[in-house]
């Protein structure tokens, strides 16, 4: 006997995420889910953002496997930060973010940045109730990332390419990369967290919050 | 890899539905998995085989229908399957394509045996 089921496997996650999204919208909180490989510069981008925030009130949720190293870096900037340790999981899910929200007062914030676990695959499937997704990648990772991981890039609003200052020393075809981002219909912001290049464009995007 | 957790969710949906139907055994689980759902069907089957041991779904066949990625153009309404090298709309070249399929992940149906009907069937065939 066949029984129709038609039930989403991640229904619980998606329901919780949409409840959170509705709540965030109520008090106008812009929630950014930052995704990218380990070492791409997600935490550096957040640090650079905080030091340029001005009167923009930003809070941070830090996802990591086990350490609180990133949260400690963020805390030095004097902003509210919560660490989530996934205990080995490859992504954050909505319930982890929900729990983190108990430890941070988001009602006073303009922007909440969620740093996802370093991974270009698994975070795609898990809605965190975010307003916008951003993928950070970097020159040393190679120029083929968009072609190889289209799912994560297409799920994002903005692609940030970090470490552009070292492009003279690495074989990275910038034109090819720019074309692949344009091809998938996403906006590209080129930055260097060490030289500061391009960060004003990133801040402009964050201030206007145009998804 | 997050397939283990996902497979646990699949199994709990299956067992709940099987209990509702008063099934004695689940013989088949049919899933729809989008090409961009980031779930590896073989990996899911492997975990299912392990997790289902000792449950009604032990030994059930796991059938996965992969759903291709499709876009709908917001400019001209054309629906198309994008190529890795070309995501733009083939009709109007717009990049305003929205993903319409390819990220689904759901249990579509299950096949079960009921204690009564399976015994009836076996006695009927003898
Ligand atoms: Zn079109």
């Amino acid at each position: 006997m066949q029984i129709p089921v038609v039930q989403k496997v991640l229904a619980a996650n998606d329901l919780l995420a949409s409840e959170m999204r509705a709540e965030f919208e109520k008090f106008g909180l812009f929630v950014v889910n930052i995704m990218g490989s380990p070492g791409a510069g997600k935490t550096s981008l957040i640090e650079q953002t905080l030091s340029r925030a001005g009167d923009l009130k930003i809070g941070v949720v830090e996802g990591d496997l086990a350490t609180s190293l990133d949260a400690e870096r963020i805390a030095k900037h004097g902003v509210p930060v919560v660490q989530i340790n996934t205990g080995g999981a490859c992504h954050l899910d909505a319930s982890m973010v929900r729990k983190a929200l108990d430890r941070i007062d988001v009602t006073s914030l303009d922007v909440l940045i969620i740093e996802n676990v370093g991974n270009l695959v698994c975070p795609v499937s898990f809605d965190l109730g975010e307003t916008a997704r951003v993928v950070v990648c970097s020159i040393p990772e190679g120029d083929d990332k968009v072609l190889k991981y289209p799912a994560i890039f297409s799920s994002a609003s903005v692609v940030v390419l970090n470490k552009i200052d070292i492009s003279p020393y690495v074989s990275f075809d910038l034109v090819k990369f720019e074309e692949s981002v344009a091809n998938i219909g996403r906006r590209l912001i080129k930055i260097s967290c060490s030289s500061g290049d391009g960060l004003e464009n990133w801040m402009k995007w964050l201030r206007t919050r145009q998804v | 890899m997050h397939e283990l957790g996902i497979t646990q969710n699949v199994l709990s949906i299956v067992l709940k539905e099987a209990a509702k139907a008063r099934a004695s055994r689940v013989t088949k689980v049919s899933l729809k998995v989008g090409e961009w759902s980031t779930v590896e069907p073989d990996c899911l089957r492997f975990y299912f085989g392990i997790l289902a041991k000792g449950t009604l779904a032990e030994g059930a066949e796991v059938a996965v229908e992969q759903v291709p990625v499709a876009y709908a153009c917001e400019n001209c309404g054309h629906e198309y399957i994008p190529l890795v090298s070309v995501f733009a709309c083939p009709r109007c070249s717009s990049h305003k394509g929205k993903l319409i399929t390819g990220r689904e992940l759901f249990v579509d149906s299950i096949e079960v045996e009921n204690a009564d009907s399976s015994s009836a069937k076996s006695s009927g065939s003898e």
Side-chain angles (χ1 to χ4, degrees):
Chain A
M1 179 171 71
Q2 198 195 39
I3 303 171
V5 178
V6 198
Q7 240 184 82
K8 271 182 158 186
V9 174
L10 296 174
N13 184 85
D14 295 352
L15 178 67
L16 185 55
S18 53
E19 283 171 7
M20 288 195 288
R21 182 171 289 113
E23 238 175 272
F24 296 149
E25 275 169 11
K26 240 193 299 182
F27 46 91
L29 182 69
F30 187 74
V31 182
V32 191
N33 176 1
I34 297 197
M35 311 182 294
S37 300
K42 297 185 294 300
T43 313
S44 300
L45 176 62
I46 296 169
E47 286 189 281
Q48 292 296 333
T49 305
L50 296 174
S51 58
R52 286 168 172 75
D55 54 4
L56 199 63
K57 289 191 218 71
I58 304 177
V60 181
V61 171
E62 272 295 330
D64 196 2
L65 298 180
T67 71
S68 59
L69 296 173
D70 289 349
E72 286 158 21
R73 276 168 65 183
I74 300 299
K76 286 190 185 133
H77 294 265
V79 299
V81 55
V82 185
Q83 177 74 45
I84 303 176
N85 284 134
T86 62
C90 47
H91 60 272
L92 294 181
D93 68 28
S95 72
M96 298 175 192
V97 176
R98 170 86 274 173
K99 260 183 252 159
L101 293 178
D102 294 340
R103 293 189 283 144
I104 187 168
D105 177 22
V106 290
T107 55
S108 60
L109 299 175
D110 303 310
V111 174
L112 180 70
I113 296 177
I114 302 172
E115 182 177 340
N116 215 312
V117 177
N119 188 329
L120 284 178
V121 181
C122 312
V124 179
S125 304
F126 297 87
D127 187 353
L128 307 181
E130 71 275 328
T131 324
R133 287 182 173 189
V134 173
V135 182
V136 181
C137 48
S138 63
I139 298 281
E141 290 167 56
D143 49 33
D144 56 1
K145 288 297 157 294
V146 182
L147 299 174
K148 287 173 107 169
Y149 302 93
I152 199 163
F153 286 92
S154 85
S155 84
S157 306
V158 173
V159 177
V160 171
L161 178 64
N162 188 21
K163 308 187 190 180
I164 52 165
D165 54 311
I166 62 167
S167 62
Y169 317 107
V170 181
S171 73
F172 182 97
D173 189 336
L174 190 57
V175 174
K176 180 178 155 190
F177 186 84
E178 284 170 337
E179 278 172 1
S180 62
V181 175
N183 178 41
I184 206 159
R186 294 297 173 264
R187 170 151 182 222
L188 176 63
I189 302 177
K190 292 174 280 182
I191 63 161
S192 164
C193 286
S194 46
S195 73
D197 277 347
L199 283 163
E200 70 280 9
N201 292 330
W202 161 254
M203 291 308 294
K204 207 182 286 169
W205 177 78
L206 195 64
R207 285 181 189 287
T208 53
R209 286 165 252 171
Q210 299 282 328
V211 176
Chain B
M1 287 297 112
H2 54 286
E3 276 85 351
L4 178 59
I6 282 175
T7 311
Q8 277 160 343
N9 287 359
V10 170
L11 182 63
S12 83
I13 291 171
V14 168
L15 293 179
K16 225 177 265 171
E17 292 297 317
K20 259 198 260 170
R22 299 176 189 283
S24 54
R25 201 163 86 87
V26 179
T27 52
K28 187 174 174 182
V29 176
S30 298
L31 302 163
K32 283 211 171 131
V33 174
E35 207 185 324
W36 279 2
S37 68
T38 73
V39 172
E40 194 52 60
D42 281 341
C43 190
L44 200 147
R45 273 192 206 98
F46 174 76
Y47 284 131
F48 194 90
I50 294 169
L51 294 172
K53 277 205 180 105
T55 74
L56 292 185
E58 180 167 350
E61 177 197 345
V62 179
V64 175
E65 186 191 328
Q66 282 208 285
V67 185
V69 168
Y71 271 39
C73 176
E74 286 196 323
N75 186 44
C76 75
H78 184 54
E79 288 181 10
Y80 61 100
I81 293 177
L83 306 172
V84 171
S85 48
V86 192
F87 277 84
C89 172
R91 192 183 280 171
C92 74
S93 305
S94 157
H95 278 286
K96 294 206 157 159
K98 273 261 152 67
L99 188 86
I100 48 169
T101 65
R103 224 171 257 154
E104 36 290 273
L105 179 55
F106 61 87
V107 181
D108 196 32
S109 66
I110 57 173
E111 274 177 40
V112 301
E113 283 173 3
N114 287 87
D116 319 334
S117 63
S118 66
S119 60
K121 209 197 289 171
S122 56
S123 61
S125 62
E126 273 162 15

